[in-house]
Amino acid sequence: MIATEVFGDKHPKYADTLIDYGFYLLNVDAISQGVQVYQTALDVRQNVFGGINLHVAIAHEDLAYASYVHNYAFGKFTHARTHAERAIELMLRLLPPDHLLLSSSKRVKALILEEMAIDNPNKDVEKKYLEEAHSLHKEALAMAMRAFGEMNVQTAKHYGNLGRLFQSMRLFQVGVWVSSLYSLICLLFLFLFF
């Protein structure tokens, strides 16, 4: 890698390069390698910035999402949940509670909780996880709405996640309505901007 040659493997720019590379790996379905790269990026950022830093929080979120995708088929989400919760914890220490950066971390944790709920045979635990996921998705949607308004791809993504959650909660009519709203926003966005 050029970044290691220019900056060395303990530099923040090297970690930034790893974050970008991890994103690439996830998008070409090299999920396992992506998780390893995100873990290395987190390690470098923690060594450079210490534990309480926004760059570290974002690396935790990226690792949480990659771990969620990696373990989706196996139903093992403890690692992903731990990193999502750490990202939220750090961001709440460093940012106002309604800061837009929190919306993404809350969305990731909500996705993880939804999958944990679906896989859990205990109906009380399932309900608890789904309710927490619902709360997190609503908070993330509200932050996106404040920042971008209704007609935005980020807002649409949150509507899509809520629609899927409502289906997991067996609220099929609401889920279909919210998913339709997501589709409508995406179509309007494509029509208006492309």
Side-chain angles (χ1 to χ4, degrees):
M1 285 179 114
I2 295 173
T4 52
E5 294 170 15
V6 174
F7 299 107
D9 62 0
K10 294 176 183 15
H11 195 279
K13 288 292 182 192
Y14 174 61
D16 294 346
T17 303
L18 291 175
I19 294 289
D20 291 342
Y21 184 48
F23 180 80
Y24 165 78
L25 290 169
L26 285 185
N27 283 291
V28 297
D29 289 331
I31 311 300
S32 182
Q33 296 94 329
V35 170
Q36 293 170 2
V37 167
Y38 278 128
Q39 181 64 62
T40 303
L42 173 60
D43 294 343
V44 171
R45 284 185 172 180
Q46 283 180 319
N47 287 333
V48 170
F49 299 117
I52 303 171
N53 180 276
L54 197 52
H55 294 291
V56 172
I58 292 168
H60 275 291
E61 180 193 326
D62 290 338
L63 181 56
Y65 185 75
S67 297
Y68 158 77
V69 173
H70 182 254
N71 290 301
Y72 191 85
F74 309 110
K76 297 180 180 178
F77 299 105
T78 306
H79 185 255
R81 182 181 181 183
T82 299
H83 286 287
E85 289 173 345
R86 184 66 178 144
I88 292 168
E89 176 189 323
L90 288 172
M91 287 183 189
L92 285 172
R93 287 181 72 174
L94 298 166
L95 302 169
D98 62 344
H99 196 282
L100 182 61
L101 278 178
L102 274 159
S103 72
S104 181
S105 293
K106 288 183 177 195
R107 182 185 76 85
V108 169
K109 183 178 178 187
L111 293 171
I112 294 164
L113 288 173
E114 181 180 352
E115 290 306 318
M116 291 175 71
I118 291 169
D119 292 343
N120 197 303
N122 183 323
K123 293 300 174 194
D124 291 332
V125 173
E126 176 190 37
K127 183 178 185 220
K128 177 183 158 212
Y129 286 163
L130 290 173
E131 287 174 353
E132 186 178 353
H134 182 232
S135 176
L136 289 165
H137 275 312
K138 286 193 318 185
E139 291 171 22
L141 173 62
M143 291 174 190
M145 290 280 285
R146 277 194 301 276
F148 305 119
E150 183 123 18
M151 300 304 292
N152 182 275
V153 172
Q154 286 296 329
T155 305
K157 185 182 347 180
H158 291 294
Y159 275 123
N161 291 143
L162 262 175
R164 192 184 97 170
L165 176 67
F166 286 135
Q167 290 172 349
S168 295
M169 296 172 87
R170 296 168 194 82
L171 299 171
F172 297 108
Q173 295 295 22
V174 177
V176 168
W177 181 83
V178 173
S179 293
S180 297
L181 183 58
Y182 163 72
S183 298
L184 177 64
I185 292 171
C186 288
L187 286 172
L188 286 172
F189 183 79
L190 289 173
F191 177 74
L192 293 172
F193 297 105
F194 293 100

